[in-house]
Amino acid sequence: MMEDRKVISIAVVSVIALITIIIVARVSLKLSRAFFLILGADVAVIVAVFSCVLIRHRYKTRRMLMESRLRSEGRELRIEYSFLRKVAGVPTKFRYKELEEATDGFQALVGKGSSASVFKGILNDGTAVAVKRIDGEERGEREFRSEVAAIAGVQHVNLVRLFGYCNAPTAPRYLVYEYIPNGSLDCWIFPSNETQRRVGGCLPWHLRYRVAIDVAKGLSYLQHDCRSRILHLDVKPENILLDEDYRARVSDFGLSKLVCKDVSRVMTNIRGTRGYLAPEWLLEMGVSEKTDIYSYGMVLLEIIGGRRNVSRVEDPNDKSKKKWMFFPKIVNEKVREGKFLEIVDPRLIERGGVDESEVKKLVYVALWCIQERPRLRPSMAQVVDMLEGRVRLDLPPDTRMILVDLLSADEDPVADHNNLARLLTSMSSHEDNISTYSMGTTILSGR
């Protein structure tokens, strides 16, 4: 643009100078032969200047049309390339500017966690996406790599799909997921005063039962059908999303680990969410696929009861104090009394439509999954079979609910980590009457 202005300015100044010369020659030389020579030369130069300007303008117009056509073709090729990569399941590397335009400057915030924020956006091809911005240097890089490595090549109907990423040299980094319109599960199972929500409500029983199966299938795929086993390590309602048909999608693989098929357990720092951590992880004894199974069982109880598993309630003996309430212990007691409907979310009981046989099945599965000994927990493939009725499901062993003692110890300033470790490991010296339960004839009978 500046070059064009300079050329036009030079042309105008040149023409004005030539006309001035003609006028001066006319006055001083009259109609002599020298005047006509100067007139002819100046007119020729003026015509040449106008010709050059015209040719330059036409050349510029043609160049702009060609550039516009090339940009259009390039955009179409990029969209087609992006489409083919999405069909093939290969993540696309996005430019920061593309994500900034797609999210309108990262304005539409749809979720926020301790180290990441999620924004809604629309790509050039019209695809709705959720752009996850991972903040922080070291932790952000670790979560970014874990999430891309875990889900980049994974394709399953019950897992959130990764469209692409933007790996800037410095934080923050970005992951681009498919957009799931109905938000996270916690907004649909817990009362509205317990969660800040944009969308949500009270999910009816038949959809909760279907969500339980969907999540189990997604986790089963990660543990059994991938080239390397993928441990999610942060299974909780906030990381389970519901699509437009209220089908569940497991999301947020920031803490996940890839484990070889022949490795039974790996060591990792405790980084999950309180209330969903398996006892062996709290004891720093390593994690395995049984760790996710424990978390799934805890989520299953929250789906059934519509309440958090671990909460603080008012102490009836002292109104000024609060004590820990552990919902799985209440569930265990109600199961032994045969009062299954008293476990269910009261809002669902009021509306009706709750199938007691399905409640019993979900409760039994949940109690099997949260067994304190990892070896007693079923695999996720077995959980799917139990939920879909392909195996016989018996009453789980009665557990000591060691976490109740842990919560009590947390209120005792004298208790330390070693005491809690001895408290948890002491369960290995007791059999808890499990000899009457045969995993081979109950859970494993369908495999």
Side-chain angles (χ1 to χ4, degrees), residues 135-144 171 173:
D135 301 308
E137 283 289 344
E138 181 179 354
R139 181 176 179 181
E141 174 68 14
R142 183 173 63 243
E143 290 194 16
F144 176 85
R173 295 165 179 83

Side-chain angles (χ1 to χ4, degrees), residues 325-379:
M325 180 70 72
F326 192 51
F327 183 54
K329 182 176 177 62
I330 297 174
V331 171
N332 192 52
E333 293 170 353
K334 296 295 182 182
V335 166
R336 309 303 159 181
E337 298 170 2
K339 300 176 181 178
F340 289 93
L341 291 182
E342 293 186 13
I343 302 168
V344 180
D345 188 337
R347 296 172 297 169
L348 298 179
I349 299 298
E350 292 176 3
R351 298 181 181 186
V354 178
D355 187 328
E356 186 172 0
S357 64
E358 290 182 345
V359 173
K360 183 177 180 180
K361 183 184 296 185
L362 287 190
V363 170
Y364 276 12
V365 170
L367 292 179
W368 273 114
C369 289
I370 65 170
Q371 290 292 308
E372 286 152 342
R373 293 184 180 83
R375 63 183 176 81
L376 290 182
R377 300 171 203 156
S379 69

Side-chain angles (χ1 to χ4, degrees), residues 34-302:
F35 164 72
F36 285 110
L37 288 174
I38 293 172
L39 177 63
D42 284 2
V43 169
V45 173
I46 290 173
V47 170
V49 169
F50 276 110
S51 299
C52 288
V53 171
L54 180 62
I55 291 171
R56 181 181 176 83
H57 176 71
R58 293 190 62 184
Y59 171 77
K60 179 185 175 183
T61 302
R62 291 182 61 185
R63 186 184 67 183
M64 291 178 62
L65 287 174
M66 185 175 295
E67 288 178 351
S68 176
R69 184 164 61 249
L70 289 174
R71 281 197 301 269
S72 177
E73 291 176 355
R75 188 182 302 110
E76 290 177 2
L77 285 173
R78 285 196 301 271
I79 292 174
E80 183 176 356
Y81 176 66
S82 176
F83 171 75
L84 290 174
R85 286 178 68 92
K86 279 190 277 187
V87 170
V90 180
T92 300
K93 184 175 183 179
F94 290 94
R95 297 191 300 271
Y96 173 79
K97 187 174 179 60
E98 290 180 273
L99 301 184
E100 188 177 35
E101 292 175 355
T103 59
D104 194 20
F106 301 98
Q107 295 295 317
L109 181 68
V110 295
K112 186 173 179 61
S114 59
S115 62
S117 302
V118 181
F119 303 88
K120 183 181 179 181
I122 305 293
L123 298 180
N124 289 332
D125 61 359
T127 303
V129 294
V131 179
K132 180 180 180 180
R133 183 178 67 195
I134 304 176
D135 301 308
E137 283 289 344
E138 181 179 354
R139 181 176 179 181
E141 174 68 14
R142 183 173 63 243
E143 290 194 16
F144 176 85
R145 291 182 179 277
S146 295
E147 203 146 354
V148 173
I151 200 172
V154 168
Q155 296 290 319
H156 191 272
V157 68
N158 298 124
L159 301 176
V160 172
R161 187 174 176 187
L162 178 67
F163 284 159
Y165 60 93
C166 176
N167 189 14
T170 58
R173 295 165 179 83
Y174 299 88
L175 294 169
V176 183
Y177 286 100
E178 62 177 322
Y179 179 71
I180 308 298
N182 278 322
S184 55
L185 179 62
D186 61 306
C187 296
W188 293 93
I189 60 175
F190 300 130
S192 57
N193 61 346
E194 292 188 15
T195 179
Q196 298 293 327
R197 61 167 62 112
R198 284 180 168 80
V199 295
C202 181
L203 200 65
W205 174 255
H206 72 283
L207 291 180
R208 295 193 190 203
Y209 192 86
R210 192 173 70 179
V211 164
I213 296 177
D214 288 343
V215 176
K217 287 182 176 179
L219 294 176
S220 176
Y221 175 82
L222 294 175
Q223 294 182 6
H224 302 286
D225 299 325
C226 294
R227 185 179 300 128
S228 296
R229 277 182 298 158
I230 299 175
L231 308 184
H232 188 282
L233 301 182
D234 200 18
V235 180
K236 59 183 179 180
E238 288 79 2
N239 290 338
I240 298 169
L241 305 181
L242 301 182
D243 65 15
E244 61 276 5
D245 296 320
Y246 298 95
R247 303 305 299 259
R249 309 282 192 93
V250 179
S251 70
D252 200 337
F253 290 76
L255 301 183
S256 61
K257 274 194 171 295
L258 274 67
V259 181
C260 296
K261 293 286 187 179
D262 56 349
V263 175
S264 61
R265 183 170 295 186
V266 294
M267 301 302 296
T268 184
N269 295 332
I270 299 177
R271 295 177 289 148
T273 304
R274 186 185 67 181
Y276 306 94
L277 299 178
E280 65 270 18
W281 202 2
L282 293 172
L283 282 173
E284 300 180 355
M285 295 169 60
V287 295
S288 66
E289 71 275 7
K290 300 289 186 169
T291 306
D292 279 345
I293 293 167
Y294 181 92
S295 301
Y296 172 78
M298 297 296 279
V299 171
L300 205 54
L301 291 178
E302 293 183 334

Side-chain angles (χ1 to χ4, degrees), residues 16-37:
I16 292 174
L18 290 169
I19 293 174
T20 302
I21 292 172
I22 292 172
I23 294 172
V24 172
R26 175 69 178 83
V27 172
S28 61
L29 299 176
K30 305 299 181 181
L31 294 177
S32 65
R33 184 177 178 182
F35 164 72
F36 285 110
L37 288 174

